Amino acid sequence: MSTFNKIWLSLAHMGGMEQKFIQSAFDTNWVVPLGPNVDGFEKDLEEFIGGDKHIVALSSGTAAIHLALIQLGVQPGDEVICQSFTFSASANPIKYVGASPVFVDSEEETWNMDPKLLEIAIEDRIKITGKKPKAIIPVHLYGMPAKMDEIMEIADSYGIPVLEDAAEAMGSKYRGRCCGTFGEFACLSFNGNKIITTSGGGALVCSSAEAAGVTKFLATQARDNAPHYQHSHIGYNYRLSNICAGIGRGQMLVLDEHISARREINNKYKKLLQGLPGISFLTNPSDEFESNMWLTCILVDPKVAGFTREDLRLAMEAANIETRPLWKPMHMQPVFEEAPFYGHNDSSCYTSFNKDSDTEPDRENSICGQLFEKGLCLPSHPGLSDEDLERVVGVVNTLP
Ligand SMILES: *Cc1c(COP(=O)(O)O)cnc(C)c1O
């Protein structure tokens, strides 16, 4: 065992068939956006995710969120409710369409959007702005399904469409249904570090063939049906290339294996670290939740453990092991400083507030602020050996 080998947080893992699909694209000269691999990949995705959805392969998950917001009619002056605890790609497209994000805190079980705070936020935004938020973006972070029944019930009761961010949750299930099949739209991502990759890419899950058609139209520069180049809409260059889709088709053949491998790694970590005081895991709250365990996430309670998350991260770094703090919440990001945030002030009380309110509590004293403070992602990719895992756990055992 060499302590000098770098252990990475998350690595792409090829199944072997990817090259064959790429070769077929070269052989048939389909080295373009669109083509048989794109069609085949979309079909594979639709079969995998189920729920009678229509899927359009795009250049990224971010592009998918952008095209969904456009189709939901989100415009300048509108507000969109978004989970605060996420990667910035969930929220940036709200700005692309000129709208404003409103961030909502997490609940402690799934670490995702708190349905109770969602309802408080909707009510308060209606009171303050006189109109409903235009869309709701819950995120299945780290592969853990959000509480979709509660979220959909609230969204439906106000008639607000839901755009699920399932970028990290390919293959995760909530009550037997795949993440990405609950909302009117959902985004998937095939970026390099996700559970499957196309080197870079994403997809929009649509609820109708019409919406999938509009998505394809917008993603290919919005060309009207004419022999010349005619445009009556602003278009985008967001389609996935036939080469990248070839990688995707190969990855679909090993997706189930990847998910089992990540779940197994998570179980091994739990066994190896169980009983260690002050360390807890993000786990499925009940058998209704089946996370793909994209990344194994732990919380370090410094009062009990005797060391902080940052102590642990630095010790890992010194041992040539890459770990990463949990996502820094969007309401704590300088770029979204102005955005309203609805969060827990302490675990029992709900507070709604905005920039002008003089009762604004400490933004870090929210559930997701605490998760950021205490949380760490451990190396979690299918290429990790048992020796690698023992090396990671060994570092934890050297502290405090
Ligand atoms: C990766 C990711 C995205 C964006 O996907 P890209 O394909 O990288 O644009 C969106 N949301 C979350 C939560 C992600 O992790």
Side-chain angles (χ1 to χ4, degrees):
M1 167 178 108
S2 161
T3 40
F4 297 104
N5 287 341
K6 176 107 180 174
I7 298 181
W8 298 95
L9 183 72
S10 190
L11 283 182
H13 199 257
M14 292 297 116
M17 291 298 278
E18 292 83 0
Q19 298 260 1
K20 187 187 127 266
F21 289 109
I22 293 173
Q23 190 60 46
S24 80
F26 275 81
D27 292 345
T28 53
N29 208 25
W30 279 99
V31 186
V32 283
L34 310 182
N37 279 339
V38 175
D39 297 339
F41 185 41
E42 286 171 346
K43 216 170 123 262
D44 293 346
L45 289 168
E46 284 168 3
E47 260 164 40
F48 180 86
I49 200 169
D52 217 13
K53 295 291 182 178
H54 302 261
I55 296 187
V56 181
L58 298 169
S59 53
S60 71
T62 312
I65 297 174
H66 188 191
L67 294 185
L69 292 175
I70 291 171
Q71 289 179 77
L72 293 172
V74 182
Q75 288 178 348
D78 288 334
E79 289 188 334
V80 173
I81 294 185
C82 183
Q83 182 166 319
S84 182
F85 192 44
T86 189
F87 174 50
S88 66
S90 308
N92 283 337
I94 300 169
K95 289 291 197 178
Y96 300 170
V97 295
S100 308
V102 171
F103 293 113
V104 167
D105 203 357
S106 300
E107 35 81 12
E108 275 171 317
E109 285 190 321
T110 70
W111 299 2
N112 292 314
M113 184 181 278
D114 186 327
K116 292 195 201 86
L117 280 179
L118 168 64
E119 184 153 29
I120 289 169
I122 295 171
E123 285 287 336
D124 202 48
R125 295 327 291 170
I126 294 173
K127 222 185 290 160
I128 290 170
T129 68
K131 60 179 188 178
K132 289 189 295 194
K134 245 342 201 333
I136 299 166
I137 309 180
V139 186
H140 310 292
L141 210 63
Y142 300 112
M144 179 60 69
K147 295 189 171 174
M148 287 314 291
D149 273 5
E150 285 105 308
I151 290 170
M152 289 310 298
E153 198 182 309
I154 293 161
D156 289 345
S157 75
Y158 287 92
I160 303 173
V162 168
L163 159 55
E164 286 174 84
D165 183 338
E168 301 178 0
M170 184 78 183
S172 297
K173 287 183 179 169
Y174 174 68
R175 305 192 67 181
R177 267 169 71 184
C178 271
C179 288
T181 61
F182 294 88
E184 181 163 342
F185 289 101
C187 89
L188 302 172
S189 170
F190 315 115
N191 205 339
N193 59 356
K194 298 287 156 66
I195 207 146
I196 57 165
T197 185
T198 57
S199 72
L204 186 62
V205 183
C206 305
S207 293
S208 68
E210 290 73 35
V214 173
T215 304
K216 288 177 189 172
F217 169 75
L218 291 172
T220 49
Q221 306 289 22
R223 280 180 63 189
D224 293 343
N225 194 6
H228 52 276
Y229 277 79
Q230 164 112 353
H231 305 274
S232 14
H233 293 268
I234 295 295
Y236 302 85
N237 183 7
Y238 277 173
R239 212 55 166 119
L240 188 67
S241 88
N242 196 49
I243 300 294
C244 293
I247 306 176
R249 288 180 87 180
Q251 290 270 285
M252 286 306 286
L253 299 172
V254 289
L255 173 56
D256 285 328
E257 272 171 51
H258 281 198
I259 294 171
S260 319
R262 299 228 180 206
R263 285 177 176 157
E264 202 178 305
I265 286 164
N266 183 265
N267 280 330
K268 284 182 183 164
Y269 273 128
K270 276 190 203 144
K271 273 200 201 101
L272 290 166
L273 289 170
Q274 103 187 352
L276 218 77
I279 304 275
S280 58
F281 286 81
L282 172 61
T283 52
N284 293 318
S286 75
D287 56 15
E288 294 185 337
F289 298 80
E290 297 170 71
S291 170
N292 62 14
M293 296 295 171
W294 172 54
L295 294 181
T296 288
C297 302
I298 60 167
L299 295 180
V300 179
D301 182 347
K303 283 192 222 96
V304 183
F307 56 89
T308 64
R309 181 286 305 280
E310 198 51 16
D311 294 334
L312 181 55
R313 194 188 67 77
L314 291 170
M316 293 283 188
E317 197 172 81
N320 212 12
I321 297 166
E322 184 191 21
T323 61
R324 195 192 291 145
L326 300 185
W327 298 119
K328 181 171 185 178
M330 290 306 109
H331 76 277
M332 293 164 69
Q333 298 285 358
V335 71
F336 293 123
E337 224 168 45
E338 306 281 296
F341 169 65
Y342 291 81
H344 293 267
N345 200 6
D346 61 55
S347 52
S348 61
C349 114
Y350 302 113
T351 320
S352 63
F353 50 93
N354 60 46
K355 204 178 130 255
D356 306 320
S357 151
D358 46 350
T359 58
E360 180 161 333
D362 180 4
R363 288 189 163 217
E364 285 166 35
N365 192 21
S366 52
I367 300 238
C368 59
Q370 289 297 307
L371 292 171
F372 169 61
E373 181 80 22
K374 294 180 183 157
L376 196 68
C377 303
L378 300 179
S380 317
H381 55 88
L384 289 171
S385 65
D386 284 349
E387 289 75 43
D388 290 336
L389 292 183
E390 274 158 28
R391 229 177 95 196
V392 174
V393 169
V395 173
V396 185
N397 285 325
T398 61
L399 290 167

